[in-house]
Amino acid sequence: MAALPVLTASELSRALLARQHLLERTDAPFETVVRELVGLQAQNAWSPYLALFSRVRGFTHAQLGDALQARTVARIGVQRGTIHLVTADDALLLPVLTAPLHARDLLVNAAHSAALRTVHVPDVTRAARALVEERPRVTTELGRLLAQVWPDVPPTTLAYAARGTLPMVQVPPRGVWGRSGATTWTTAWSWLGRPAPVLEGDALDAAMEDLVLRYLAAYGPASVADVQSWSGLTGLRAVVDRLGDRVVRLVAEPSPGKVRPREVLDVPDGPRPDGETPAPVRFLPDYDDALLAHADRTRVFADDDRRTLQSPNGVLPGTFLHDGRVAGSWRIVRTSVARGRELATLVVTPFRPPTSTGRREVEQEAWEVVRFMADDAAEHEVVVG
C-alpha cells in the first residue's frame, strides 16, 4: 500500500479556515453556521457577534439579537464547560453529551467540591430546577434561595452545583447587542418548551459518533486528542474506533519539537485546500473556537506567539489572522471627543512588523471591524502598531 501524503501545517490551516468560513465568508443563514460549527464560544456576550461577522456575509447585530429573543439560538454551557452560542436543538442535545465533564468538575473543583460532598447533589438539582423554571433567576438569587434549604453550604457553591447539573441557558436581554442585564438563568427545557432527547445505550453511542463527525467536519483533519480537547470529554478513542469507513485516516507532519508524524482523522468529503491558498485577514473575538478546538494548535498558532498572548489569569485577547495564522492581537479604545461623542480606536498589535501590503490588508479589514464593533461611536479610527 502506498504511503499516505503528509499534510503540512499550512494544509491543516487552510482546511480549518475553509470549514470555518474564514477563507471566504458564506451567504448561508447565520443559524446554519452556528450549527455547522457546533456552536461559538460566547462567555463574553459580544464574542459571537464578531465571530459571525467574520464568517457570514452581510451579518448584522439584529439578526443574532432577534434570534436570541425568538429562542432559535441560546447561550448555554456545553463543550469544555464554557458558555457557547448554539442552536435550539443543540441547546437540548449537547448538555446530554457533555454531562460527564460537568459531573467530573463538581467532584474535583477546588472551590466547590469539598462543600458539595456535604449535600446530596440531586436534591440541590431538583430544588434549583423548580426555582429557575418558576421564573428565570440571577445567580445570586438562586444561591440565596437554595441556601435557605442548605444553610451550611455557601450560596455560590449551591448555584454552581445547579449550573453543573442542569442545562441552564442565559436568557435575554443578556447577549442582545446594545442591551444589558444581569446573568439570568433557566433550564433549556423550560426556555425552549421541549424536553431533551433521551439517550441511552445504542442511541447514546450513535449521538456521540455523530458529535465526533460534526467536529471533524468543522475542525478537521484532527486527532483523537484534538476532539477531546475541544469537547472536554475523555475516552473518545472508543467512539472513533466505531466510526470505521465514515472517516478517513491521514498523516500530518510532526508538530514543532516532535519527531514522528501524527495520525489525523477526517470526514471523507471534508475540504482540504492547497496550503498555498490565499487566506484573507480576519479578526476574531477572544476565545474563538477556531483557535481553541485542538490539543495541537500549531496549525494556526506558533507556540511562541501563543505564549506571548497568554496572561496570568488565562485571558485571551481578540486576535487577527494573516496568511492563515494568528498574527497579533487587537483591542478597541474609546475616548470622549466632544459633548458625549466618542471616538472608537481599533488598536492592532502585530507580533512582527507587517509588510506594506500586509499593513494595508490589516487596515482594510480593521476599518470594517471597528465600525461593526463600535457601531454606537460617532467617530472611528484604526491604528496598526
Side-chain angles (χ1 to χ4, degrees):
M1 181 181 296
L4 293 172
V6 177
L7 297 171
T8 66
S10 292
E11 289 170 329
L12 290 173
S13 165
R14 297 310 190 268
L16 173 65
L17 298 182
R19 298 161 200 227
Q20 291 285 310
H21 305 294
L22 292 169
L23 282 185
E24 183 179 359
R25 286 181 170 93
T26 178
D27 291 316
F30 87 88
E31 295 96 336
T32 300
V33 174
V34 172
R35 187 191 183 283
E36 284 179 359
L37 304 187
V38 204
L40 298 165
Q41 187 140 332
Q43 62 198 66
N44 287 320
W46 61 268
S47 299
Y49 287 89
L50 179 58
L52 289 165
F53 173 81
S54 291
R55 291 170 165 91
V56 179
R57 191 173 290 110
F59 173 76
T60 67
H61 305 99
Q63 288 175 332
L64 176 50
D66 291 347
L68 284 165
Q69 294 180 99
R71 310 187 190 192
T72 58
V73 297
R75 297 171 67 240
I76 187 170
V78 281
Q79 51 263 32
R80 301 189 301 280
T82 53
I83 299 295
H84 277 68
L85 174 76
V86 300
T87 63
D89 286 343
D90 275 344
L92 297 169
L93 171 65
L94 292 177
V96 177
L97 302 183
T98 60
L101 76 91
H102 298 281
R104 184 174 68 244
D105 176 71
L106 293 181
L107 295 175
V108 302
N109 186 276
H112 302 291
S113 60
L116 287 176
R117 284 193 288 271
T118 69
V119 299
H120 186 55
V121 173
D123 289 343
V124 177
T125 302
R126 282 190 289 272
R129 179 178 181 179
L131 288 169
V132 298
E133 291 189 346
E134 180 182 45
R135 69 170 184 271
R137 310 272 184 174
V138 299
T139 304
T140 53
E141 181 190 19
L142 176 60
R144 176 176 56 79
L145 292 172
L146 291 171
Q148 293 176 5
V149 183
W150 291 276
D152 296 330
V153 181
T156 53
T157 293
L158 293 167
Y160 191 83
R163 296 200 308 273
T165 55
L166 289 168
M168 301 264 265
V169 299
Q170 293 187 5
V171 305
R174 183 77 172 177
V176 176
W177 191 264
R179 303 278 299 279
S180 61
T183 304
T184 308
W185 307 89
T186 189
T187 64
W189 312 317
S190 175
W191 185 247
L192 300 173
R194 49 198 170 105
V198 177
L199 298 175
E200 297 176 342
D202 290 346
L204 179 59
D205 287 347
M208 288 302 304
E209 292 161 17
D210 184 61
L211 179 66
V212 172
L213 292 172
R214 289 178 64 187
Y215 166 79
L216 291 174
Y219 300 96
S223 67
V224 174
D226 289 329
V227 66
Q228 292 188 154
S229 179
W230 166 79
S231 65
L233 299 168
T234 59
L236 295 185
R237 168 62 68 180
V239 178
V240 169
D241 287 345
R242 293 198 301 268
L243 294 176
D245 60 7
R246 286 179 285 173
V247 296
V248 293
R249 297 176 185 273
L250 306 166
V251 177
E253 68 179 5
S255 302
K258 304 294 184 180
V259 176
R260 295 183 178 179
R262 298 168 287 143
E263 179 188 71
V264 291
L265 308 157
D266 202 5
V267 290
D269 58 349
R272 294 189 287 274
D274 185 273
E276 299 302 315
T277 302
V281 172
R282 289 289 183 263
F283 282 72
L284 300 178
D286 54 346
Y287 307 109
D288 193 281
D289 279 270
L291 308 184
L292 301 178
H294 303 86
D296 184 332
R297 299 172 185 172
T298 54
R299 69 186 67 198
V300 289
F301 235 146
D303 285 338
D304 288 345
D305 292 340
R306 181 163 52 86
R307 284 188 286 268
T308 297
L309 291 180
Q310 287 179 332
S311 64
N313 59 1
V315 173
L316 187 68
T319 57
F320 71 96
L321 302 175
H322 183 259
D323 194 28
R325 298 180 67 77
V326 176
S329 62
W330 65 270
R331 60 193 174 95
I332 291 179
V333 178
R334 290 175 177 261
T335 54
S336 178
V337 287
R339 296 183 180 179
R341 292 165 61 86
E342 277 194 332
L343 165 68
T345 303
L346 194 153
V347 180
V348 182
T349 306
F351 293 136
R352 286 161 288 278
T355 65
S356 57
T357 299
R359 178 180 291 271
R360 286 195 299 272
E361 292 172 346
V362 170
E363 288 177 343
Q364 181 179 356
E365 185 68 11
W367 273 107
E368 300 298 323
V369 170
V370 71
R371 293 186 182 110
F372 178 83
M373 293 299 295
D375 63 321
D376 59 327
E379 301 178 32
H380 301 90
E381 181 181 47
V382 169
V383 175
V384 179

